[in-house]
Amino acid sequence: MHEDQLVGTAYEEGKTSWAPGSFFYMRGRACELVLFWDNIDREDVWRVTNGKVSFGVWYSDDKDLFFLYRFDGCHWSDAVFSALQLPESERMRPPFMRPGEKLTCRITLVSCETGLIQAVRTLSFSHPLSKKLCLAVDKHFYSSYSRFWTPESFELRVNKIYQQYPLPEALINCQGCILCTGQDTH
């Protein structure tokens, strides 16, 4: 997690270009959504820093997590996550969510062309989404999941889901998906 990074600074020192994409990470209570967008304009920056943001969490029968998000005026997008993608030193079980507790998520928008951070925002999830997210990620630590996990098998499972649900909009209608609107933290 890059909590000390500010708008206008490099996301990663010395790296000036990135492939477009989005990545969701969860380490314990710390959630981060990193967006690598190309051709970022003022409207994109405004959407990320001020616009309404919706989130969703769905996990497959194989327990792979699909983190869904949508900024006002945009289509739903997703970022697939498994705690086992992280280096072992960064894998931390999520907390048990007590009634009313909420997780926060730091959103970082990075220019693909320059590698510079264009926007940063921290939002909270609803309690039900926070709880579902913690329960989903906790399953990554069970031996029934971790014993057979490899990057290759993970990629095959994710591709199978994308064949069945080619657009993120289809995932929001799946049984078990939880949605919420992000709330600014103050």
Side-chain angles (χ1 to χ4, degrees), residues 37-49 109:
W37 289 359
D38 50 14
N39 303 314
I40 296 172
D41 60 24
R42 282 189 226 185
E43 191 173 316
D44 293 328
V45 171
W46 187 90
R47 279 185 178 119
V48 173
T49 57
L109 176 62

Side-chain angles (χ1 to χ4, degrees), residues 21-22 24 33 35 37 47 52-58 66-80 107 123 125-126 129 162 165-174 177-182:
S22 60
F24 176 79
L33 177 63
L35 308 168
W37 289 359
R47 279 185 178 119
K52 179 181 171 187
V53 186
S54 300
F55 298 107
V57 170
W58 180 77
F66 290 76
F67 181 80
L68 305 154
Y69 63 92
R70 183 182 75 184
F71 294 92
D72 251 0
C74 298
H75 296 286
W76 280 96
S77 296
D78 70 311
V80 184
I107 303 170
L123 296 170
F125 302 134
S126 67
L129 190 134
Y162 284 145
Y165 304 104
L167 297 173
E169 284 87 355
L171 292 174
I172 66 169
N173 296 315
C174 289
C177 182
I178 291 188
L179 302 174
C180 78
T181 300

Side-chain angles (χ1 to χ4, degrees), residues 57-130:
V57 170
W58 180 77
Y59 61 89
S60 68
D61 291 338
D62 293 314
K63 309 304 181 229
D64 299 316
L65 174 75
F66 290 76
F67 181 80
L68 305 154
Y69 63 92
R70 183 182 75 184
F71 294 92
D72 251 0
C74 298
H75 296 286
W76 280 96
S77 296
D78 70 311
V80 184
F81 176 71
S82 170
L84 301 182
Q85 292 173 288
L86 298 171
E88 196 167 338
S89 63
E90 294 183 28
R91 295 178 195 164
M92 297 187 318
R93 285 187 103 125
F96 173 80
M97 297 304 292
R98 291 179 172 66
E101 278 188 307
K102 300 176 185 180
L103 295 174
T104 60
C105 181
R106 178 183 165 100
I107 303 170
T108 305
L109 176 62
V110 180
S111 167
C112 290
E113 296 88 2
T114 65
L116 298 178
I117 296 172
Q118 302 297 303
V120 176
R121 183 178 186 186
T122 301
L123 296 170
S124 65
F125 302 134
S126 67
H127 171 72
L129 190 134
S130 296

